[in-house]
Amino acid sequence: MKIAIIGVGSVGSAVATAVQNTGLAHEIILFDRDGIRARAAAEDLGHASAFSYDIKITAASNYREIRGCEIVIIAAGANQKPGETRTDLLQKNVAVISDIIPRVMANVDTKRVKIIIVTNPLDVMVMLAQKLSKLPASRVIGTGTMLDSARLKIILSRQLGISTRSISAYVLGEHGDSSVVNWESVYVGGIKLDDFCKQAKISLPQTTRKTIEHRVRNAAYEIIRGRGATWDGIGGAVADLLHAIINDEKRILTVSTVDGVGKNAIAMSLPRVVGEMGVIMNLHTKLSASESADLRKSAKIIRKNFDLI
Ligand code: NAD
């Protein structure tokens, strides 16, 4: 599998390392409008491959070099500075995605390619990329709330003293400040969260749940305050998504793709079945009345931001 990564800053580099460590790619092409940075990243990553998988890693100086790539990951564009929201990046990254997508589309097999969007504000960028690429929505996939869902599971794992691997929990809606924690769908070892708490004699009152929601939504802000940007978590999310696609796992992941058409089109994260053809089924989880209202609000925010473009 030949994979291209467009944008090799903090996130693109972490994604490249994570992709390399999956062992699923035989070739990784790195492209950045800063060619010197792309060449340096390819060189450094190439050295790392001597200690892991034998993968060809090259820097492309031209989009023609991504020919033959079945998966193109877009991690280019402005990132949040301390205090900035993802939405603050909107206009800058509209320009970036509008520059990249036509060039990518001119050089890939449009019948097979899958585009993975990482650039923020994630859901709006997915909508823009899908519109510009004219690909089926199923093959323009944003990492969405995969990372937010992982953050929720990790916080719950620490709170409950249970491995993240035994916890099923989803964050839905926008990958941003209006994301929605779907408490109704939290299961621990197949047991509904409330029942698990009763059995384990753990108290998880509404106030604690609100604090958890706040921590999930603010995780990126905290990391940006501490290290300037976030990159490792999203690297892991992209690698996980690649596993699901390349191995045709048909795994349920909270990715963002466009649903609906025209004025009703909206990209946001819901649990979706992911396999080698991209997103092959959209699922609807049980929502409480307030979760349902919050999800509608989140969808409206995404659509409003898309309409600002
Ligand atoms: P960065 O500034 O470190 O790197 C961005 C890179 O993009 C730079 O190397 C730059 O030269 C390149 N670039 C910009 N415009 C380009 C273009 N038109 N063509 C090719 N390359 C271009 O930023 P970062 O920290 O790596 O963040 C990248 C993006 O990822 C941001 O939008 C950030 O908000 C987003 N992000 C998303 C998630 C998520 O969960 N989806 C997590 C973290 C970061």
Side-chain angles (χ1 to χ4, degrees), residues 6-12 31-34 37 75-79 89 93 96 99-100 118-120 122 143 147 175 229-230 234:
I6 314 292
V8 204
S10 308
V11 170
F31 180 88
D32 196 289
R33 73 173 173 199
D34 178 346
R37 178 180 262 193
N79 61 7
L89 308 172
N93 286 344
V96 171
D99 167 47
I100 293 171
V118 177
T119 305
N120 278 319
L122 193 281
T143 46
L147 186 50
H175 170 61
T230 74
I234 186 61

